[in-house]
Structures are given as C-alpha cells and as structure tokens.
C-alpha cells in the first residue's frame, strides 16, 4: 500500500526525547556504512560489478562525483578529506591524474548511460582556475555522455572567498545549474574562532549573482555547535539567511572529534556551547525555517516548497547518497578523485584516501580503488528499509516484500520487537502494514534506522560516528 505523501511533512521538537536518544550513529549516506568497507574489495571486484551493471535491458543513468581536495585556508571544524595549500601548481598535478582516471572509468560504461546528475565537491572545487574547470568538464564530456540541455542536476560546492570575477559565469557556461555554498555562521567572532572569515556581504552578493545567471538552485550550509555560538547570535545569522531566501538550506551539527581530526584541536573546547545551548539553537532554527515556509526534507536539510527536493519528497522519489539528499534515485554513482566512493551494481567502492597512493595507482594505469564491499542479499533488503525511513519517514511492508521476496514481519521479527520502546515513546506508529515516523520522531530518524542496521547490532560501536543531535 502506498504511503500518502502528506505523511512526509511535519516536524515536532520534543526536547526530552532528543536528550534521551542523543547517541552517536551513522548518517546513512550508504548502507552498509563506509566503516564496513574492506581491502578485500579491489579494482578487479569493481570491474566485475560494472559488467553486471551494464547487463540487462535497461541501462540506468549515471551520477558523476569528482572530489577536488584543495583549500587555500583551513577551517578548524572541517572533517573532510582535504589538502591545505596556497600553491596552485598542486592542482595541475592532481588534475593530470584525475583526467586519466576519468578516461579509465569512462571506458567501463557504455555511452548510452546518460549522466543526469553531476557534482564537484571538496575541499574547494573553486580552488581550480576557470580554465582548469573548463578543461575538466570538457574532458568529462568526452568520456561520458553528459546532457547538452539544462535538465540534469549538475552541482558544485563553491567558496565565495575563492571566486575570480568570471568564475560563476564560467560555471554556468560549462553546464552547472546548482550551487552549494558554505556559510556556517555570519557572526564575526564565531568566524574568527573557526578560522573562516567570510563577510555576509560577500556571501549574499554571490547568491544574487548566481540568481542573475539563472542557476536553478542555490543551497547554503550552516553549522550549529561552533565555538562562541549562542541562540541569540545564531538567530541573527539565520534571519539574514532566511531574508536572502536560498532554495535549500542545511543546518549541520558540529561533531567535535579532535582525536580523529587533528585540525579540530585548534578549537578552544571551553568556547563550545553546551548540549543544552545546542538544542536551543536547533529548536529556534527549526521553528524559524518552518515559519518562513521551508519544508523539512530530513536529517538537517530544508528546502523551499517549489524546490526539486521538496517535490521529490512529495512524490516519493527522494533518496540519499554520499552528497546527502538527492532527487535522481535511479542513478548509479561513479565517483573519482581521492577518497571518492562509487555505488555501482551491488557494491560500494572507495578510492585511495592518501594522495600519494592515489597518484601511484593512477600513474600505473590502475583504478585507484583500495577498498569497498559487495552487498549481500540481507544488505540490499536492509538498505531499502533504511532508505525508506530516511527519505519517506515510513516503511511500506508490501513494497519491501515485493522487491525482495520476504515476509516482512517474519524477517524483521527481532527489529519490530526492538522498536516497541520507540513506539511507546511516540516516535512511530504502526498500522495497515506500515510503520510511520511521527513528527516528533523525525529528528531521531538515525536512531530509528539503526534498529535495522545489522552491523550496529553486532558491534554497537558509536565512537566512529557523530551524535545524532
């Protein structure tokens, strides 16, 4: 039985429940998560999966991801795979290898597989010169079938501090139609504390210019939980952002993990807001965005009602990948560059994280894949369940049974029993062969999803993940 689309809307902030369930857990941009990838999966494993992916009567479209790891300054909160340098010559060395990888990857997929989604992430993709960006997109077009119209979802992460006068014009000319821009916080003291000085005027003038160039969507990223933030200071940032009316907005929880990310050790822990303050910031932000007419997409994402993400939530075509929520659920993801993760066939495949390893493999004409996983039948079933939860706030028993040939209540007997405490707390309701996440359960969707995560049931290790709130 189909899930009524109106069910996917609504959000209720219940502080007592958020405090009760605030534990560490995956963000489920994949299932199994990357911590389950192993070096037993190599380039040969990936090639075998591409053969299977290319077989059959229907060739699925592709989504391309390119990781550009360079930044010219370091933000102290950052947990991305990055290379901090002001020497632009490093980009030329990297791009030479990336061009070679594009050739090798393009050879594995027939040209009938059209690229309907494309994304450059980082790092800071706009670290590249405009000519380097033109060349990279041109090389991609020669090796993959990119759309010549504006119907695809072609996005890039930009840093307004790293733009030349004609950068946005160039990006639009070569096919990008969506921008994602990091803001984090507009308060000057907070910016200084995290080493990201970015004047509000620069941020908003960049947004205005993007609209003039007819970019279809501009997304801004904010972070709550940074040093020196208060509910009052962050509300000022949020109001300025709301006034600018970005199409999409993400408000991420800062995960302070200095034992894993050395750069975070430069943050003064005494300046970090308390858990209570973080919850107050989150609550005010949610209320402000909903009052301003934004739709809660899920996790930390909001969008205007007319945005494609909101429409995908409405029609049930929303899904998650390594860039977060996306609208092209039928794509297979081919990812290139250091640490990039592909999703092809029934596998995930990750490139070498270390730059020297990446260079060594590409220079020897090998794919840069160093680890990954082939999904079992159980993985595929649980991935579909978790994706329904993350993207529809519901589980449709009939849909899972039809797709995988199981009897849902029997297969997930243990999980359904484990959900009873959450049901009693009002996070979910059941009926008509469905489980529905309530408005007060939606901010805890990661907790609910973990019930169906067989790997978390085995080791329960939350040390490798951020807190859910």
């Amino acid at each position: 039985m189909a899930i009524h689309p109106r069910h996917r809307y609504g959000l209720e902030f219940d502080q007592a429940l958020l405090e009760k369930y605030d534990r560490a857990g995956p963000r489920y941009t994949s299932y199994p998560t990357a911590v389950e990838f192993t070096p037993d999966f190599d380039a040969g494993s990936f090639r075998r999966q591409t053969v299977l992916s290319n077989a059959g009567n229907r060739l699925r479209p592709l989504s391309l991801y390119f990781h550009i790891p360079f930044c010219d300054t370091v933000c102290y909160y950052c947990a991305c795979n990055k290379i901090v340098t002001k020497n632009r010559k490093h980009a030329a060395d990297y791009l030479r290898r990336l061009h070679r990888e594009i050739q090798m990857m393009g050879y594995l997929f027939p040209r009938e597989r059209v690229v309907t989604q494309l994304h450059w992430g980082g790092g800071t993709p706009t670290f590249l010169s405009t000519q380097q960006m033109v060349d990279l997109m041109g090389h991609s077009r020669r090796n993959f079938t990119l759309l010549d119209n504006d119907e695809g979802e072609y996005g890039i992460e930009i840093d307004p501090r790293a733009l030349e006068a004609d950068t946005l014009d160039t990006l639009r000319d070569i096919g990008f139609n969506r921008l994602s821009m990091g803001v984090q916080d507009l308060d000057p003291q907070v910016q200084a504390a995290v080493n990201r000085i970015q004047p509000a005027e620069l941020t908003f003038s960049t947004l205005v210019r993007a609209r003039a160039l007819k970019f279809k969507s501009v997304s801004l990223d904010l972070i709550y939980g940074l040093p020196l933030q208060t509910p009052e200071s962050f509300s000022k940032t949020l109001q300025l952002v709301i006034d600018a009316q970005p199409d999409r907005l993400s408000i991420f929880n800062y995960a302070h993990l200095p034992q894993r990310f050395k750069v975070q050790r430069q943050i003064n822990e005494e300046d970090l807001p308390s858990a209570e303050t973080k919850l107050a910031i989150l609550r005010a932000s949610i209320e402000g965005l909903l009052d301003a007419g934004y739709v809660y997409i899920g996790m930390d994402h909001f969008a205007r009602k007319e945005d494609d993400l909101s429409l995908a939530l409405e029609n049930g075509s929303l899904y998650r990948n390594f860039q977060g929520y996306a609208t092209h659920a039928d794509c297979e993801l081919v990812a290139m560059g250091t640490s990039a993760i592909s999703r092809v066939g029934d596998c995930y495949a990750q490139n070498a994280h270390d730059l020297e390893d990446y260079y060594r493999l590409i220079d020897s004409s090998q794919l840069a894949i160093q680890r990954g996983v082939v999904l079992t039948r159980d993985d595929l079933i649980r991935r579909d369940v978790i994706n329904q939860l993350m993207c529809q706030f519901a589980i449709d028993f009939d849909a899972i049974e039809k797709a995988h040939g199981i009897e849902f209540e029997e297969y997930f007997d243990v999980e359904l029993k484990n959900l009873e405490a959450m049901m009693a707390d009002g996070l979910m309701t059941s009926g008509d062969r469905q489980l529905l996440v309530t408005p007060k359960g939606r901010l805890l969707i990661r907790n609910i999803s973990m019930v169906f995560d067989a790997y978390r049931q085995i080791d329960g290790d939350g040390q490798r993940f951020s807190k859910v709130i």
Side-chain angles (χ1 to χ4, degrees), residues 295-360:
V295 173
Y296 179 62
I297 303 299
M299 293 281 290
D300 24 46
H301 286 59
F302 297 79
R304 296 179 65 80
K305 291 180 180 179
E306 65 274 13
D307 188 83
D308 286 349
L309 274 184
S310 297
L311 300 177
L313 177 67
E314 173 77 28
N315 63 34
S317 63
L318 192 70
Y319 88 117
R320 279 181 69 74
N321 62 18
F322 293 99
Q323 286 79 60
Y325 284 100
T327 61
H328 289 64
D330 58 341
C331 290
E332 292 197 313
L333 174 61
V334 181
M336 289 158 277
T338 57
S339 71
I341 303 175
S342 297
R343 171 184 165 174
V344 172
D346 290 340
C347 83
Y348 294 105
Q350 185 169 28
N351 277 358
H353 189 280
D354 181 78
L355 188 66
E356 290 185 5
D357 288 342
Y358 176 76
Y359 284 177
R360 173 180 54 79

Side-chain angles (χ1 to χ4, degrees), residues 60 103 145 157 162 186 219 256 308 366 396 463 469:
R60 297 174 65 185
Q103 281 185 303
T145 303
E157 298 169 15
L186 294 173
S219 176
H256 190 61
D308 286 349
Q366 300 180 61
D396 184 330
Q463 296 302 310
I469 297 296

